[in-house]
Amino acid sequence: MASKSEPAFDDLDPVSTDEESSGSNWLNPDPGETVSGTITGWNPDAGHNGVIELDGNPMYMNRTLQRQLIAALVEGNQMFVRVDENSQTFTNEDGDETEYHPKEARFARDD
């Protein structure tokens, strides 16, 4: 439930995603080298600890980078989840039909 100080779900912008990978120039900094850029993608399921894209250029993450990313960009932010009242169905690999209620997320940051 939302309190008086929280924004309403409908006041927050929807989040769109792009399922395509945008970069092919993999970043692999040498010892002592620094790379930087705008985060343009993150696939937490790729590799062992995820792949992050900086300005469209992917880079494998180690566990330390993964934890730092989550701590800096995720922890402490508000997440709102709305479950649709209308259900949808899909047929799984075994041919069984499953009914579900779609979920949508929106986020508020304390910038």
Side-chain angles (χ1 to χ4, degrees), residues 3-36:
S3 69
K4 292 182 182 182
S5 64
E6 292 181 349
F9 184 89
D10 289 327
D11 293 338
L12 301 169
D13 294 329
V15 177
S16 62
T17 59
D18 182 4
E19 296 297 325
E20 296 181 23
S21 175
S22 59
S24 60
N25 296 324
W26 283 82
L27 299 173
N28 189 14
D30 292 322
E33 183 180 5
T34 300
V35 295
S36 67

PDB file of all heavy atoms in Angstrom, residues 3-36:
ATOM      1  N   SER A   3       1.910   5.026   0.969  1.00  0.00           N
ATOM      2  CA  SER A   3       1.688   5.995   2.033  1.00  0.00           C
ATOM      3  C   SER A   3       1.567   7.378   1.402  1.00  0.00           C
ATOM      4  O   SER A   3       1.765   7.555   0.213  1.00  0.00           O
ATOM      5  CB  SER A   3       2.836   5.956   3.041  1.00  0.00           C
ATOM      6  OG  SER A   3       4.008   6.469   2.448  1.00  0.00           O
ATOM      7  N   LYS A   4       1.270   8.409   2.225  1.00  0.00           N
ATOM      8  CA  LYS A   4       1.069   9.753   1.701  1.00  0.00           C
ATOM      9  C   LYS A   4       2.322  10.316   1.058  1.00  0.00           C
ATOM     10  O   LYS A   4       2.241  11.114   0.151  1.00  0.00           O
ATOM     11  CB  LYS A   4       0.586  10.672   2.817  1.00  0.00           C
ATOM     12  CG  LYS A   4      -0.808  10.338   3.293  1.00  0.00           C
ATOM     13  CD  LYS A   4      -1.265  11.290   4.357  1.00  0.00           C
ATOM     14  CE  LYS A   4      -2.654  10.893   4.842  1.00  0.00           C
ATOM     15  NZ  LYS A   4      -3.150  11.811   5.849  1.00  0.00           N
ATOM     16  N   SER A   5       3.519   9.896   1.481  1.00  0.00           N
ATOM     17  CA  SER A   5       4.746  10.456   0.930  1.00  0.00           C
ATOM     18  C   SER A   5       5.207   9.761  -0.343  1.00  0.00           C
ATOM     19  O   SER A   5       6.100  10.234  -1.010  1.00  0.00           O
ATOM     20  CB  SER A   5       5.860  10.396   1.977  1.00  0.00           C
ATOM     21  OG  SER A   5       6.145   9.049   2.288  1.00  0.00           O
ATOM     22  N   GLU A   6       4.606   8.650  -0.686  1.00  0.00           N
ATOM     23  CA  GLU A   6       5.009   7.922  -1.879  1.00  0.00           C
ATOM     24  C   GLU A   6       4.208   8.388  -3.094  1.00  0.00           C
ATOM     25  O   GLU A   6       3.029   8.710  -2.972  1.00  0.00           O
ATOM     26  CB  GLU A   6       4.781   6.422  -1.688  1.00  0.00           C
ATOM     27  CG  GLU A   6       5.674   5.796  -0.667  1.00  0.00           C
ATOM     28  CD  GLU A   6       5.415   4.305  -0.538  1.00  0.00           C
ATOM     29  OE1 GLU A   6       4.417   3.799  -1.082  1.00  0.00           O
ATOM     30  OE2 GLU A   6       6.225   3.644   0.128  1.00  0.00           O
ATOM     31  N   PRO A   7       4.830   8.395  -4.277  1.00  0.00           N
ATOM     32  CA  PRO A   7       4.068   8.712  -5.484  1.00  0.00           C
ATOM     33  C   PRO A   7       3.113   7.569  -5.808  1.00  0.00           C
ATOM     34  O   PRO A   7       3.316   6.439  -5.386  1.00  0.00           O
ATOM     35  CB  PRO A   7       5.151   8.840  -6.560  1.00  0.00           C
ATOM     36  CG  PRO A   7       6.316   8.069  -6.038  1.00  0.00           C
ATOM     37  CD  PRO A   7       6.235   8.128  -4.544  1.00  0.00           C
ATOM     38  N   ALA A   8       2.090   7.866  -6.565  1.00  0.00           N
ATOM     39  CA  ALA A   8       1.140   6.843  -6.997  1.00  0.00           C
ATOM     40  C   ALA A   8       1.732   6.077  -8.173  1.00  0.00           C
ATOM     41  O   ALA A   8       2.519   6.613  -8.952  1.00  0.00           O
ATOM     42  CB  ALA A   8      -0.182   7.491  -7.397  1.00  0.00           C
ATOM     43  N   PHE A   9       1.348   4.839  -8.317  1.00  0.00           N
ATOM     44  CA  PHE A   9       1.839   3.988  -9.401  1.00  0.00           C
ATOM     45  C   PHE A   9       1.669   4.665 -10.751  1.00  0.00           C
ATOM     46  O   PHE A   9       2.592   4.714 -11.556  1.00  0.00           O
ATOM     47  CB  PHE A   9       1.098   2.644  -9.363  1.00  0.00           C
ATOM     48  CG  PHE A   9       1.591   1.646 -10.374  1.00  0.00           C
ATOM     49  CD1 PHE A   9       2.620   0.783 -10.061  1.00  0.00           C
ATOM     50  CD2 PHE A   9       1.012   1.566 -11.633  1.00  0.00           C
ATOM     51  CE1 PHE A   9       3.078  -0.137 -10.984  1.00  0.00           C
ATOM     52  CE2 PHE A   9       1.463   0.652 -12.566  1.00  0.00           C
ATOM     53  CZ  PHE A   9       2.507  -0.211 -12.238  1.00  0.00           C
ATOM     54  N   ASP A  10       0.492   5.227 -11.026  1.00  0.00           N
ATOM     55  CA  ASP A  10       0.208   5.824 -12.330  1.00  0.00           C
ATOM     56  C   ASP A  10       0.979   7.120 -12.581  1.00  0.00           C
ATOM     57  O   ASP A  10       1.054   7.578 -13.718  1.00  0.00           O
ATOM     58  CB  ASP A  10      -1.293   6.078 -12.483  1.00  0.00           C
ATOM     59  CG  ASP A  10      -2.066   4.776 -12.647  1.00  0.00           C
ATOM     60  OD1 ASP A  10      -1.518   3.830 -13.244  1.00  0.00           O
ATOM     61  OD2 ASP A  10      -3.210   4.718 -12.174  1.00  0.00           O
ATOM     62  N   ASP A  11       1.569   7.717 -11.537  1.00  0.00           N
ATOM     63  CA  ASP A  11       2.376   8.925 -11.709  1.00  0.00           C
ATOM     64  C   ASP A  11       3.798   8.623 -12.160  1.00  0.00           C
ATOM     65  O   ASP A  11       4.535   9.529 -12.552  1.00  0.00           O
ATOM     66  CB  ASP A  11       2.435   9.723 -10.398  1.00  0.00           C
ATOM     67  CG  ASP A  11       1.077  10.295 -10.019  1.00  0.00           C
ATOM     68  OD1 ASP A  11       0.217  10.456 -10.922  1.00  0.00           O
ATOM     69  OD2 ASP A  11       0.884  10.565  -8.826  1.00  0.00           O
ATOM     70  N   LEU A  12       4.204   7.354 -12.114  1.00  0.00           N
ATOM     71  CA  LEU A  12       5.561   6.961 -12.482  1.00  0.00           C
ATOM     72  C   LEU A  12       5.603   6.520 -13.935  1.00  0.00           C
ATOM     73  O   LEU A  12       4.629   6.008 -14.478  1.00  0.00           O
ATOM     74  CB  LEU A  12       6.039   5.833 -11.577  1.00  0.00           C
ATOM     75  CG  LEU A  12       6.050   6.174 -10.090  1.00  0.00           C
ATOM     76  CD1 LEU A  12       6.277   4.919  -9.265  1.00  0.00           C
ATOM     77  CD2 LEU A  12       7.111   7.219  -9.795  1.00  0.00           C
ATOM     78  N   ASP A  13       6.755   6.714 -14.579  1.00  0.00           N
ATOM     79  CA  ASP A  13       6.922   6.348 -15.977  1.00  0.00           C
ATOM     80  C   ASP A  13       7.068   4.835 -16.130  1.00  0.00           C
ATOM     81  O   ASP A  13       7.781   4.200 -15.350  1.00  0.00           O
ATOM     82  CB  ASP A  13       8.166   7.015 -16.564  1.00  0.00           C
ATOM     83  CG  ASP A  13       8.042   8.525 -16.624  1.00  0.00           C
ATOM     84  OD1 ASP A  13       6.903   9.019 -16.799  1.00  0.00           O
ATOM     85  OD2 ASP A  13       9.061   9.211 -16.483  1.00  0.00           O
ATOM     86  N   PRO A  14       6.437   4.246 -17.156  1.00  0.00           N
ATOM     87  CA  PRO A  14       6.646   2.830 -17.432  1.00  0.00           C
ATOM     88  C   PRO A  14       8.093   2.599 -17.864  1.00  0.00           C
ATOM     89  O   PRO A  14       8.745   3.498 -18.396  1.00  0.00           O
ATOM     90  CB  PRO A  14       5.688   2.507 -18.568  1.00  0.00           C
ATOM     91  CG  PRO A  14       4.960   3.750 -18.899  1.00  0.00           C
ATOM     92  CD  PRO A  14       5.499   4.856 -18.063  1.00  0.00           C
ATOM     93  N   VAL A  15       8.588   1.399 -17.643  1.00  0.00           N
ATOM     94  CA  VAL A  15       9.955   1.043 -18.019  1.00  0.00           C
ATOM     95  C   VAL A  15       9.898   0.172 -19.251  1.00  0.00           C
ATOM     96  O   VAL A  15       9.216  -0.852 -19.261  1.00  0.00           O
ATOM     97  CB  VAL A  15      10.658   0.292 -16.866  1.00  0.00           C
ATOM     98  CG1 VAL A  15      12.052  -0.144 -17.282  1.00  0.00           C
ATOM     99  CG2 VAL A  15      10.701   1.159 -15.624  1.00  0.00           C
ATOM    100  N   SER A  16      10.594   0.575 -20.305  1.00  0.00           N
ATOM    101  CA  SER A  16      10.639  -0.245 -21.512  1.00  0.00           C
ATOM    102  C   SER A  16      11.979  -0.966 -21.555  1.00  0.00           C
ATOM    103  O   SER A  16      12.977  -0.496 -21.015  1.00  0.00           O
ATOM    104  CB  SER A  16      10.456   0.616 -22.765  1.00  0.00           C
ATOM    105  OG  SER A  16      11.500   1.554 -22.871  1.00  0.00           O
ATOM    106  N   THR A  17      11.994  -2.125 -22.181  1.00  0.00           N
ATOM    107  CA  THR A  17      13.212  -2.902 -22.305  1.00  0.00           C
ATOM    108  C   THR A  17      13.433  -3.264 -23.755  1.00  0.00           C
ATOM    109  O   THR A  17      12.499  -3.360 -24.542  1.00  0.00           O
ATOM    110  CB  THR A  17      13.146  -4.194 -21.471  1.00  0.00           C
ATOM    111  OG1 THR A  17      12.036  -4.976 -21.922  1.00  0.00           O
ATOM    112  CG2 THR A  17      12.991  -3.890 -19.992  1.00  0.00           C
ATOM    113  N   ASP A  18      14.686  -3.474 -24.097  1.00  0.00           N
ATOM    114  CA  ASP A  18      15.064  -3.896 -25.441  1.00  0.00           C
ATOM    115  C   ASP A  18      15.777  -5.227 -25.285  1.00  0.00           C
ATOM    116  O   ASP A  18      16.830  -5.303 -24.648  1.00  0.00           O
ATOM    117  CB  ASP A  18      15.983  -2.858 -26.089  1.00  0.00           C
ATOM    118  CG  ASP A  18      16.366  -3.215 -27.510  1.00  0.00           C
ATOM    119  OD1 ASP A  18      15.867  -4.220 -28.044  1.00  0.00           O
ATOM    120  OD2 ASP A  18      17.189  -2.477 -28.083  1.00  0.00           O
ATOM    121  N   GLU A  19      15.211  -6.266 -25.846  1.00  0.00           N
ATOM    122  CA  GLU A  19      15.759  -7.602 -25.668  1.00  0.00           C
ATOM    123  C   GLU A  19      16.999  -7.851 -26.528  1.00  0.00           C
ATOM    124  O   GLU A  19      17.690  -8.821 -26.336  1.00  0.00           O
ATOM    125  CB  GLU A  19      14.693  -8.653 -26.002  1.00  0.00           C
ATOM    126  CG  GLU A  19      13.496  -8.618 -25.080  1.00  0.00           C
ATOM    127  CD  GLU A  19      13.847  -8.938 -23.632  1.00  0.00           C
ATOM    128  OE1 GLU A  19      14.730  -9.776 -23.401  1.00  0.00           O
ATOM    129  OE2 GLU A  19      13.249  -8.341 -22.741  1.00  0.00           O
ATOM    130  N   GLU A  20      17.283  -6.974 -27.486  1.00  0.00           N
ATOM    131  CA  GLU A  20      18.424  -7.182 -28.358  1.00  0.00           C
ATOM    132  C   GLU A  20      19.693  -6.644 -27.720  1.00  0.00           C
ATOM    133  O   GLU A  20      19.694  -5.633 -27.051  1.00  0.00           O
ATOM    134  CB  GLU A  20      18.207  -6.465 -29.696  1.00  0.00           C
ATOM    135  CG  GLU A  20      17.042  -7.010 -30.485  1.00  0.00           C
ATOM    136  CD  GLU A  20      16.884  -6.297 -31.808  1.00  0.00           C
ATOM    137  OE1 GLU A  20      17.868  -5.714 -32.299  1.00  0.00           O
ATOM    138  OE2 GLU A  20      15.779  -6.318 -32.348  1.00  0.00           O
ATOM    139  N   SER A  21      20.788  -7.344 -27.941  1.00  0.00           N
ATOM    140  CA  SER A  21      22.082  -6.858 -27.478  1.00  0.00           C
ATOM    141  C   SER A  21      22.535  -5.760 -28.426  1.00  0.00           C
ATOM    142  O   SER A  21      22.438  -5.887 -29.632  1.00  0.00           O
ATOM    143  CB  SER A  21      23.104  -7.997 -27.469  1.00  0.00           C
ATOM    144  OG  SER A  21      24.363  -7.495 -27.122  1.00  0.00           O
ATOM    145  N   SER A  22      23.016  -4.664 -27.872  1.00  0.00           N
ATOM    146  CA  SER A  22      23.338  -3.523 -28.719  1.00  0.00           C
ATOM    147  C   SER A  22      24.817  -3.429 -29.089  1.00  0.00           C
ATOM    148  O   SER A  22      25.179  -2.706 -29.985  1.00  0.00           O
ATOM    149  CB  SER A  22      22.914  -2.224 -28.020  1.00  0.00           C
ATOM    150  OG  SER A  22      23.576  -2.091 -26.789  1.00  0.00           O
ATOM    151  N   GLY A  23      25.697  -4.130 -28.382  1.00  0.00           N
ATOM    152  CA  GLY A  23      27.119  -3.929 -28.637  1.00  0.00           C
ATOM    153  C   GLY A  23      27.854  -5.193 -28.954  1.00  0.00           C
ATOM    154  O   GLY A  23      27.465  -6.280 -28.573  1.00  0.00           O
ATOM    155  N   SER A  24      28.952  -5.030 -29.672  1.00  0.00           N
ATOM    156  CA  SER A  24      29.792  -6.181 -29.967  1.00  0.00           C
ATOM    157  C   SER A  24      31.249  -5.908 -29.616  1.00  0.00           C
ATOM    158  O   SER A  24      32.085  -6.783 -29.761  1.00  0.00           O
ATOM    159  CB  SER A  24      29.664  -6.566 -31.443  1.00  0.00           C
ATOM    160  OG  SER A  24      30.071  -5.480 -32.247  1.00  0.00           O
ATOM    161  N   ASN A  25      31.582  -4.699 -29.195  1.00  0.00           N
ATOM    162  CA  ASN A  25      32.947  -4.356 -28.802  1.00  0.00           C
ATOM    163  C   ASN A  25      33.106  -4.604 -27.310  1.00  0.00           C
ATOM    164  O   ASN A  25      32.874  -3.737 -26.487  1.00  0.00           O
ATOM    165  CB  ASN A  25      33.257  -2.891 -29.132  1.00  0.00           C
ATOM    166  CG  ASN A  25      33.223  -2.635 -30.616  1.00  0.00           C
ATOM    167  OD1 ASN A  25      33.625  -3.478 -31.402  1.00  0.00           O
ATOM    168  ND2 ASN A  25      32.722  -1.487 -31.009  1.00  0.00           N
ATOM    169  N   TRP A  26      33.492  -5.815 -26.956  1.00  0.00           N
ATOM    170  CA  TRP A  26      33.589  -6.202 -25.555  1.00  0.00           C
ATOM    171  C   TRP A  26      34.669  -5.404 -24.845  1.00  0.00           C
ATOM    172  O   TRP A  26      35.780  -5.235 -25.353  1.00  0.00           O
ATOM    173  CB  TRP A  26      33.888  -7.693 -25.442  1.00  0.00           C
ATOM    174  CG  TRP A  26      32.666  -8.511 -25.688  1.00  0.00           C
ATOM    175  CD1 TRP A  26      32.156  -8.872 -26.902  1.00  0.00           C
ATOM    176  CD2 TRP A  26      31.790  -9.029 -24.711  1.00  0.00           C
ATOM    177  NE1 TRP A  26      31.006  -9.599 -26.729  1.00  0.00           N
ATOM    178  CE2 TRP A  26      30.753  -9.713 -25.389  1.00  0.00           C
ATOM    179  CE3 TRP A  26      31.759  -8.994 -23.316  1.00  0.00           C
ATOM    180  CZ2 TRP A  26      29.713 -10.351 -24.729  1.00  0.00           C
ATOM    181  CZ3 TRP A  26      30.725  -9.634 -22.658  1.00  0.00           C
ATOM    182  CH2 TRP A  26      29.714 -10.303 -23.365  1.00  0.00           C
ATOM    183  N   LEU A  27      34.331  -4.921 -23.659  1.00  0.00           N
ATOM    184  CA  LEU A  27      35.283  -4.213 -22.816  1.00  0.00           C
ATOM    185  C   LEU A  27      36.040  -5.226 -21.976  1.00  0.00           C
ATOM    186  O   LEU A  27      35.449  -6.123 -21.386  1.00  0.00           O
ATOM    187  CB  LEU A  27      34.561  -3.222 -21.895  1.00  0.00           C
ATOM    188  CG  LEU A  27      33.767  -2.111 -22.572  1.00  0.00           C
ATOM    189  CD1 LEU A  27      32.986  -1.323 -21.521  1.00  0.00           C
ATOM    190  CD2 LEU A  27      34.698  -1.196 -23.347  1.00  0.00           C
ATOM    191  N   ASN A  28      37.354  -5.080 -21.936  1.00  0.00           N
ATOM    192  CA  ASN A  28      38.199  -5.941 -21.127  1.00  0.00           C
ATOM    193  C   ASN A  28      39.387  -5.102 -20.672  1.00  0.00           C
ATOM    194  O   ASN A  28      40.473  -5.196 -21.237  1.00  0.00           O
ATOM    195  CB  ASN A  28      38.657  -7.164 -21.923  1.00  0.00           C
ATOM    196  CG  ASN A  28      39.347  -8.181 -21.052  1.00  0.00           C
ATOM    197  OD1 ASN A  28      39.268  -8.127 -19.823  1.00  0.00           O
ATOM    198  ND2 ASN A  28      40.037  -9.115 -21.684  1.00  0.00           N
ATOM    199  N   PRO A  29      39.174  -4.239 -19.659  1.00  0.00           N
ATOM    200  CA  PRO A  29      40.229  -3.318 -19.258  1.00  0.00           C
ATOM    201  C   PRO A  29      41.477  -4.041 -18.755  1.00  0.00           C
ATOM    202  O   PRO A  29      41.392  -5.082 -18.112  1.00  0.00           O
ATOM    203  CB  PRO A  29      39.606  -2.486 -18.140  1.00  0.00           C
ATOM    204  CG  PRO A  29      38.231  -3.006 -17.916  1.00  0.00           C
ATOM    205  CD  PRO A  29      37.972  -4.098 -18.870  1.00  0.00           C
ATOM    206  N   ASP A  30      42.617  -3.469 -19.104  1.00  0.00           N
ATOM    207  CA  ASP A  30      43.907  -3.983 -18.635  1.00  0.00           C
ATOM    208  C   ASP A  30      44.166  -3.497 -17.216  1.00  0.00           C
ATOM    209  O   ASP A  30      43.554  -2.513 -16.768  1.00  0.00           O
ATOM    210  CB  ASP A  30      45.029  -3.492 -19.561  1.00  0.00           C
ATOM    211  CG  ASP A  30      44.951  -4.116 -20.948  1.00  0.00           C
ATOM    212  OD1 ASP A  30      44.610  -5.320 -21.026  1.00  0.00           O
ATOM    213  OD2 ASP A  30      45.237  -3.405 -21.930  1.00  0.00           O
ATOM    214  N   PRO A  31      45.079  -4.155 -16.474  1.00  0.00           N
ATOM    215  CA  PRO A  31      45.416  -3.694 -15.127  1.00  0.00           C
ATOM    216  C   PRO A  31      45.805  -2.216 -15.125  1.00  0.00           C
ATOM    217  O   PRO A  31      46.581  -1.771 -15.964  1.00  0.00           O
ATOM    218  CB  PRO A  31      46.595  -4.578 -14.730  1.00  0.00           C
ATOM    219  CG  PRO A  31      46.397  -5.836 -15.520  1.00  0.00           C
ATOM    220  CD  PRO A  31      45.814  -5.375 -16.831  1.00  0.00           C
ATOM    221  N   GLY A  32      45.199  -1.457 -14.234  1.00  0.00           N
ATOM    222  CA  GLY A  32      45.450  -0.025 -14.120  1.00  0.00           C
ATOM    223  C   GLY A  32      44.589   0.832 -15.024  1.00  0.00           C
ATOM    224  O   GLY A  32      44.546   2.048 -14.865  1.00  0.00           O
ATOM    225  N   GLU A  33      43.904   0.246 -15.983  1.00  0.00           N
ATOM    226  CA  GLU A  33      43.056   0.986 -16.921  1.00  0.00           C
ATOM    227  C   GLU A  33      41.680   1.215 -16.311  1.00  0.00           C
ATOM    228  O   GLU A  33      41.163   0.381 -15.567  1.00  0.00           O
ATOM    229  CB  GLU A  33      42.913   0.198 -18.228  1.00  0.00           C
ATOM    230  CG  GLU A  33      42.109   0.911 -19.298  1.00  0.00           C
ATOM    231  CD  GLU A  33      41.984   0.096 -20.578  1.00  0.00           C
ATOM    232  OE1 GLU A  33      42.438  -1.058 -20.627  1.00  0.00           O
ATOM    233  OE2 GLU A  33      41.388   0.623 -21.523  1.00  0.00           O
ATOM    234  N   THR A  34      41.077   2.353 -16.629  1.00  0.00           N
ATOM    235  CA  THR A  34      39.724   2.682 -16.186  1.00  0.00           C
ATOM    236  C   THR A  34      38.838   2.837 -17.409  1.00  0.00           C
ATOM    237  O   THR A  34      39.238   3.473 -18.383  1.00  0.00           O
ATOM    238  CB  THR A  34      39.718   3.999 -15.379  1.00  0.00           C
ATOM    239  OG1 THR A  34      40.555   3.848 -14.240  1.00  0.00           O
ATOM    240  CG2 THR A  34      38.321   4.373 -14.935  1.00  0.00           C
ATOM    241  N   VAL A  35      37.647   2.254 -17.361  1.00  0.00           N
ATOM    242  CA  VAL A  35      36.647   2.463 -18.407  1.00  0.00           C
ATOM    243  C   VAL A  35      35.420   3.080 -17.752  1.00  0.00           C
ATOM    244  O   VAL A  35      35.152   2.849 -16.574  1.00  0.00           O
ATOM    245  CB  VAL A  35      36.271   1.152 -19.142  1.00  0.00           C
ATOM    246  CG1 VAL A  35      37.453   0.605 -19.895  1.00  0.00           C
ATOM    247  CG2 VAL A  35      35.703   0.126 -18.193  1.00  0.00           C
ATOM    248  N   SER A  36      34.703   3.870 -18.503  1.00  0.00           N
ATOM    249  CA  SER A  36      33.477   4.467 -17.986  1.00  0.00           C
ATOM    250  C   SER A  36      32.497   4.653 -19.123  1.00  0.00           C
ATOM    251  O   SER A  36      32.878   4.631 -20.296  1.00  0.00           O
ATOM    252  CB  SER A  36      33.770   5.811 -17.306  1.00  0.00           C
ATOM    253  OG  SER A  36      34.201   6.758 -18.260  1.00  0.00           O
TER     254      SER A  36
END
